[in-house]
Amino acid sequence: MAGFDWFWKALGGKQGRNQKRSLAIVDQAEVHTRDLEALDDAHLAARARTLVGDGTPQDPAELLAVLGIAAHRTLGMRPFPVQSQAVLRLIEGDVVHMATGEGKTLVGAMAATGLGLQGKTVHSITINDYLAVRDAEWMRPLVEFFGLSVGAISETMTPEQRREAYRCDVVYGSVSEIGFDVLRDQLTTRRSDAVQRRADVAIIDEADSVLVDEALVPLVLAGNQPGHAPRGKITEVVRRLKENDHYTVSEDRRNVFLTDKGATALEQALGITSLYDDDHVGTTLVQVNLALHAQALLIRDIHYIVRDGKVQLIDASRGRVADLQRWPDGLQAAVEAKEGLAVTEGGRILDTITLQALVGRYPMVCGMTGTAVEATDQLRTFYDLHVSVIERNNPLKRFDEADRIYATMAEKNRAIVEEIAHLHHTGQPVLVGTHDVAESEELADALRDLDINVSVLNAKNDAEEARIIAEAGDIGRVTVSTQMAGRGTDIRLGGPDESNYDQVVELGGLAVIGTARHRTSRLDNQLRGRAGRQGDPGLSLFFVSLQDDVVVTGGAGESVTAQPDATGLIDSNRVRDWVAHCQRVTEGQLLEIHSQTWKYNKLLADQRVIIDERRARLLDTDLAWQELSERAPERAGELAAVDREVLEQAAREIMLYHLDLNWSEHLALMDDVRESIHLRAIARETPLDEYHRIAVREFKTLAQQAVDDAVETFRSVVIDDRGAHLDDAGLARPSATWTYMVSDNPLAGSGNSVISGIGNIFR
């Protein structure tokens, strides 16, 4: 712990004292273990329930001992003292910093069980469905040993299956699926249709990824409606336009703009007078902009892949296909048209929630990650969470080589291939971390040209993830993968069964190579941490070029002079310091984006709480009938012959329909306001203050408008023994909904693609 003394002092010493106390409790737990091991299973489980009889552990050390013994009996896994320490810190509400391969899955299950024994409902939140299902089944014997129930949520489950899973004491689920269930439950008109029940605790795996990197990613629920898909020949005409001639693209590759020449070319090709007249500005121009966005900004094999005749989005932060996710506002259809596929209909946003707001719904939050220390400020600022560093069970033996920096990207890419070939020739297993699908495939092709057998793990074959990762540590293996954060399967030296362990150790263990620095050092460390698990030897090495995104973005407006050798290599501490500076700049930019976006989102999150409370009252009481009958007593009198329960449900459906519709329109309005709010600075107004003023004003209007609209519908819609006939009145809810995530991070691009383009980057 001595290496982190400065860290604890910076936090005022509080965490240091917690660590000393935790270590003392773990020591006591080992003493208890010797006494408790004589108990049979029934008496051991009974002892655990006695320890938390009033909802809080009477003796944390004894509880740790009981959990450890149960883990050994049910899973054959005896926790190390450092794992017991991590369990204690989780139960007390910290984010624990544990290195990759140190047994976080067992730690999370023990903590969830300990909290479940206290009568708390626990959501163990992972970053994908595969890990949720795997961990629930793997840890099930431990949880059930104490008479607790465990369930898992996956994308393919029916509402009834989800409802059953959420009834369990410990629920494993991906952050997106749990969030989407929250959104879907917000559209129900009967409480019995909801699948979730409120949980007391969230234990978040890869906590910094969820709570920091993706905290502001909105989860969106959309409903079907006719879209603005480019019609006729628009897609074909746009495909012929040339960048910097017919259109320009912003430096951050997030916006595209028609030039006058481009507009003229489109008008001539489409046979119209002007894109900007009243007949076309709301239709043709919208379709042109969508087609242009799809053509210029969304790149196949970076932002999406085409599989089985469908466009599938890529989750860039995880290198996987984002199942059942799609782009909004007709953009999905525009990409489908670009690829010559069947075009789906559009949709409107019904509801949205950020991961940060989702996590805020839990009374208690804790988590685990291998890179928490670097995110300490964000975790404290945005969640009031403390970080506890858990030492490795065995000392780190990995060698972290200094970055190899090259003048150009082409020189760097040649050097990467040469280094992999050299390591492969020795038999040492190599794991290469790339930044997108296209880069991973270009690199794999370059290596195959040298007769090197390569396993590629990216969004196109993520179903093979467990097998590819499990084999990555064997002799002679070369594995090229997109983002490694949260892959969830340990790379064992010598293969899945470690049969060649000694030989791989002799070769130096797993070599990890990064093809570029990430926008934050935490992402670098997540990749680096794949080597050197549990005291194994290993090597990590990053290649950098002065043309990489992180250097160009972080060093914008500045430059550094360097003298490369004949291969383009720059051996200079000053240049290494420059690259580190550029990365710190991008980290600072991300923190500023997070801070500003958090301020904008905070008010909407507070308004959502009010909507949630209003919805709950309408669902759980006869408030809807009371309000409507008071506002329209004559209509209530006309319905006196209808059964009271039917009337209450009819009133409920009417009120909820208009509340949900007005909330959806409020979100759309505030999104439009957000897009243009920067213009307020021109008038010497503070954009954030103006945004808040507009949001508060419009929200007041929303509440009143929803009631007024409901009263009008109540007076006019047919209500009989079958309820309110809203569909016949043109007030049907969407017949289909879907979910997607929207990433609006200007620094989340790939390591190479923005600067160099896609073609032949490894040739």
Side-chain angles (χ1 to χ4, degrees):
M1 295 300 297
F4 286 99
D5 283 350
W6 62 270
F7 176 70
W8 304 127
K9 288 175 182 175
L11 296 185
K14 178 179 179 182
Q15 290 292 313
R17 291 194 297 275
N18 280 348
Q19 295 297 84
K20 290 177 182 177
R21 171 179 165 274
S22 297
L23 291 170
I25 290 174
V26 170
D27 288 341
Q28 294 167 20
E30 292 188 35
V31 175
H32 283 301
T33 298
R34 291 192 287 272
D35 298 330
L36 293 169
E37 279 185 325
L39 296 178
D40 62 24
D41 290 357
H43 284 91
L44 190 67
R47 182 60 187 157
R49 288 189 288 272
T50 301
L51 284 170
V52 292
D54 62 352
T56 56
Q58 297 173 13
D59 185 342
E62 190 171 351
L63 179 61
L64 285 179
V66 171
L67 291 170
I69 295 169
H72 186 235
R73 291 183 184 178
T74 57
L75 304 172
M77 304 167 72
R78 190 181 295 278
F80 302 120
V82 290
Q83 289 177 297
S84 295
Q85 180 191 358
V87 172
L88 179 63
R89 300 311 314 143
L90 283 179
I91 288 176
E92 296 192 355
D94 283 356
V95 172
V96 298
H97 175 109
M98 291 184 73
T100 300
E102 292 292 303
K104 289 193 285 289
T105 303
L106 177 60
V107 166
M110 289 174 65
T113 304
L115 290 163
L117 284 167
Q118 297 175 39
K120 293 180 169 67
T121 299
V122 181
H123 284 179
S124 188
I125 298 177
T126 66
I127 64 172
N128 61 53
D129 283 3
Y130 163 74
L131 291 179
V133 174
R134 184 203 70 175
D135 291 354
E137 290 308 308
W138 187 9
M139 296 293 122
R140 180 181 299 279
L142 171 61
V143 180
E144 293 182 343
F145 180 88
F146 296 98
L148 300 173
S149 55
V150 59
I153 303 297
S154 66
E155 184 183 58
T156 57
M157 294 172 71
T158 65
E160 186 49 49
Q161 290 171 325
R162 290 172 184 268
R163 206 169 286 121
E164 183 177 350
Y166 279 119
R167 291 191 193 106
C168 294
D169 301 298
V170 177
V171 182
Y172 284 84
S174 70
V175 64
S176 56
E177 280 306 302
I178 289 175
F180 291 142
D181 281 336
V182 168
L183 292 177
R184 284 186 283 256
D185 280 356
Q186 287 301 108
L187 285 184
T188 57
T189 57
R190 297 176 187 271
R191 178 61 74 186
S192 58
D193 290 338
V195 299
Q196 277 198 356
R197 61 170 180 150
R198 294 298 288 266
D200 304 298
V201 184
I203 300 177
I204 303 174
D205 193 17
E206 302 297 339
D208 58 330
S209 177
V210 172
L211 298 177
V212 178
D213 295 334
E214 300 182 14
L216 302 175
V217 172
L219 303 176
V220 179
L221 181 68
N224 61 326
Q225 70 175 22
H228 293 290
R231 293 194 299 269
K233 59 193 293 189
I234 289 177
T235 296
E236 188 55 41
V237 173
V238 166
R239 186 177 283 119
R240 297 198 295 266
L241 301 182
K242 293 181 172 55
E243 185 172 349
N244 297 323
D245 188 17
H246 298 105
Y247 64 87
T248 59
V249 178
S250 62
E251 274 190 36
D252 56 16
R253 308 295 296 186
R254 297 170 70 200
N255 293 293
V256 59
F257 310 95
L258 270 178
T259 62
D260 290 342
K261 182 178 179 180
T264 300
L266 278 162
E267 288 161 353
Q268 291 174 348
L270 297 175
I272 61 177
T273 305
S274 172
L275 282 170
Y276 304 100
D277 64 25
D278 291 344
D279 291 337
H280 297 287
V281 72
T283 53
T284 308
L285 182 59
V286 170
Q287 294 169 30
V288 164
N289 283 331
L290 286 168
L292 192 57
H293 190 113
Q295 185 67 35
L297 303 183
L298 296 177
I299 304 170
R300 184 168 175 167
D301 288 345
I302 289 183
H303 302 106
Y304 66 93
I305 62 173
V306 176
R307 178 190 286 169
D308 300 329
K310 296 179 181 177
V311 168
Q312 294 183 301
L313 279 65
I314 295 174
D315 182 343
S317 68
R318 297 172 188 147
R320 297 180 177 87
V321 165
D323 292 317
L324 293 187
Q325 295 178 20
R326 53 188 288 157
W327 287 293
D329 304 326
L331 190 54
Q332 179 84 15
V335 175
E336 291 165 344
K338 165 189 170 182
E339 295 291 343
L341 304 173
V343 174
T344 56
E345 63 184 353
R348 66 179 176 89
I349 292 175
L350 302 176
D351 204 355
T352 180
I353 187 172
T354 63
L355 300 189
Q356 189 162 339
L358 173 65
V359 171
R361 295 169 61 89
Y362 294 90
M364 175 183 169
V365 177
C366 56
M368 306 171 287
T369 178
T371 46
V373 167
E374 300 92 328
T376 298
D377 289 345
Q378 294 96 318
L379 294 171
R380 285 285 299 276
T381 300
F382 299 114
Y383 302 96
D384 195 28
L385 287 171
H386 296 272
V387 172
S388 283
V389 174
I390 308 299
E391 287 293 294
R392 295 171 181 269
N393 188 53
N394 294 305
L396 177 65
K397 296 179 183 176
R398 185 186 67 229
F399 176 67
D400 297 329
E401 187 175 326
D403 290 356
R404 294 187 193 172
I405 302 174
Y406 289 79
T408 68
M409 198 171 292
E411 291 165 333
K412 180 192 76 169
N413 291 334
R414 279 197 296 271
I416 290 172
V417 173
E418 289 172 3
E419 180 65 18
I420 296 170
H422 167 71
L423 291 169
H424 176 66
H425 180 72
T426 70
Q428 186 172 5
V430 182
L431 172 68
V432 188
T434 63
H435 288 242
D436 55 54
V437 173
E439 185 189 6
S440 69
E441 295 188 340
E442 287 284 346
L443 175 56
D445 288 344
L447 292 170
R448 288 174 184 135
D449 288 346
L450 299 177
D451 293 326
I452 296 174
N453 187 33
V454 182
S455 296
V456 179
L457 177 56
N458 59 34
K460 289 187 175 180
N461 66 339
D462 54 5
E464 302 175 62
E465 173 178 321
R467 177 188 60 79
I468 293 173
I469 292 296
E471 296 173 351
D474 209 351
I475 294 173
R477 289 281 180 178
V478 176
T479 306
V480 175
S481 175
T482 49
Q483 179 59 266
M484 286 299 301
R487 285 291 182 188
T489 303
D490 283 339
I491 298 176
R492 300 180 182 275
L493 300 189
D497 58 0
E498 301 184 271
S499 57
N500 296 319
Y501 178 83
D502 292 338
Q503 296 97 307
V504 175
V505 167
E506 187 69 25
L507 292 168
L510 178 69
V512 168
I513 292 178
T515 61
R517 283 285 187 174
H518 291 82
R519 64 193 188 278
T520 77
S521 59
R522 283 187 302 102
L523 295 177
D524 294 339
N525 290 336
Q526 286 171 3
L527 174 60
R528 199 191 301 278
R530 289 290 163 175
R533 61 177 292 278
Q534 287 289 351
D536 289 339
L539 165 72
S540 75
L541 168 62
F542 280 80
F543 286 79
V544 181
S545 88
L546 298 184
Q547 295 178 337
D548 286 355
D549 285 357
V550 70
V551 178
V552 173
T553 302
E558 303 177 61
S559 61
V560 62
T561 56
Q563 293 298 321
D565 65 15
T567 67
L569 179 66
I570 301 170
D571 187 9
S572 164
N573 288 333
R574 184 171 56 84
V575 175
R576 287 193 186 89
D577 291 343
W578 163 254
V579 170
H581 161 76
C582 292
Q583 188 177 51
R584 286 194 299 273
V585 169
T586 61
E587 287 176 332
Q589 290 171 339
L590 286 174
L591 182 57
E592 178 60 22
I593 290 169
H594 192 148
S595 178
Q596 287 298 316
T597 308
W598 180 80
K599 291 173 183 175
Y600 279 101
N601 288 347
K602 181 67 168 65
L603 184 60
L604 278 183
D606 292 342
Q607 291 178 343
R608 154 178 282 289
V609 171
I610 296 172
I611 294 292
D612 287 356
E613 291 172 349
R614 168 74 173 170
R615 243 189 158 273
R617 288 198 303 272
L618 292 172
L619 271 175
D620 299 332
T621 70
D622 65 351
L623 179 63
W625 172 251
Q626 289 179 27
E627 290 189 1
L628 290 179
S629 58
E630 286 174 6
R631 294 282 297 271
E634 71 291 345
R635 176 59 169 158
E638 294 171 5
L639 300 170
V642 179
D643 181 79
R644 176 60 183 253
E645 284 191 16
V646 173
L647 287 177
E648 288 180 3
Q649 182 59 30
R652 188 174 291 126
E653 291 176 5
I654 292 169
M655 292 287 272
L656 289 172
Y657 175 87
H658 288 291
L659 179 65
D660 294 342
L661 179 62
N662 277 273
W663 174 244
S664 170
E665 292 177 347
H666 179 67
L667 291 175
L669 171 64
M670 294 315 301
D671 187 53
D672 290 342
V673 170
R674 174 79 181 278
E675 287 296 316
S676 60
I677 199 67
H678 63 280
L679 299 175
R680 301 287 177 150
I682 299 173
R684 297 186 178 181
E685 297 171 341
T686 304
L688 183 61
D689 291 345
E690 280 300 295
Y691 180 86
H692 277 207
R693 185 182 63 79
I694 295 169
V696 170
R697 181 191 71 206
E698 295 298 329
F699 188 71
K700 290 179 179 176
T701 303
L702 176 162
Q704 188 58 51
Q705 188 65 46
V707 174
D708 291 345
D709 292 347
V711 171
E712 183 177 335
T713 297
F714 180 60
R715 287 189 172 122
S716 60
V717 74
V718 173
I719 299 175
D720 56 24
D721 289 338
R722 291 179 294 163
H725 293 240
L726 293 176
D727 289 12
D728 296 341
L731 303 178
R733 289 181 175 271
S735 58
T737 62
W738 64 86
T739 54
Y740 56 87
M741 298 173 72
V742 177
S743 179
D744 191 33
N745 184 345
L747 300 176
S750 67
N752 295 326
S753 61
V754 172
I755 300 299
S756 67
I758 305 308
N760 299 319
I761 63 176
F762 283 100
R763 301 298 184 193

